[in-house]
């Protein structure tokens, strides 16, 4: 059975993140065009989608930056590996499951 190395997994994740970055960039361009060309478009919905795409772009850009610096995927507290599945789900993840601060609720 083939066991992918951590670097291989991060390489695949990089490709996924780059594709997501392109998709969000395209979505922002379409939303801007929609806002200017469709006077009946719901401005609140457009603003919410725009904000979500911008947040996602920021998270993905940060992840790609840290991938370039070889600092991505390590917990900021314990320096252990953050599971690839967790990174794929939330690229801005900075802590492993054990070290993640509780959510304010």
């Amino acid at each position: 059975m083939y066991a992918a190395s951590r670097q291989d997994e991060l390489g695949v994740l990089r490709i996924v993140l780059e594709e997501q970055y392109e998709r969000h960039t395209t979505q922002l361009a379409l939303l801007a065009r929609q806002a200017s060309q469709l006077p009946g478009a719901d401005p609140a919905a457009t603003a919410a989608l725009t904000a979500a795409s911008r947040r996602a772009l920021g998270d993905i850009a940060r992840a790609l930056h840290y991938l370039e610096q070889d600092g991505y995927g390590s917990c900021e507290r314990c320096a252990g590996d953050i599971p690839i599945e967790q990174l794929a789900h939330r690229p801005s993840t900075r802590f492993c499951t054990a070290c993640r601060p509780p959510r304010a609720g």
Side-chain angles (χ1 to χ4, degrees):
M1 174 172 244
Y2 175 77
S5 74
R6 178 80 173 171
Q7 290 304 318
D8 291 340
E9 291 175 330
L10 288 173
V12 170
L13 184 58
R14 176 193 308 271
I15 292 167
V16 170
L17 291 172
E18 288 170 346
E19 289 171 353
Q20 289 176 356
Y21 191 91
E22 288 297 319
R23 189 183 70 225
H24 284 289
T25 301
T26 300
Q27 182 175 2
L28 279 175
L30 291 172
L31 287 167
R33 187 177 316 141
Q34 175 184 345
S36 67
Q37 293 180 352
L38 297 175
D42 181 3
T46 300
L49 288 171
T50 299
S53 281
R54 285 184 178 149
R55 273 192 308 275
L57 279 172
D59 289 347
I60 294 166
R62 179 182 175 274
L64 290 170
H65 171 76
Y66 283 116
L67 270 164
E68 289 294 319
Q69 305 300 317
D70 293 326
Y72 188 65
S74 297
C75 177
E76 288 185 7
R77 283 208 179 118
C78 72
D81 287 342
I82 299 171
I84 293 294
E85 297 80 17
Q86 188 176 344
L87 294 169
H89 177 70
R90 177 170 255 157
S92 62
T93 299
R94 297 174 17 220
F95 303 104
C96 68
T97 305
C99 295
R100 183 176 41 213
R103 291 184 180 184

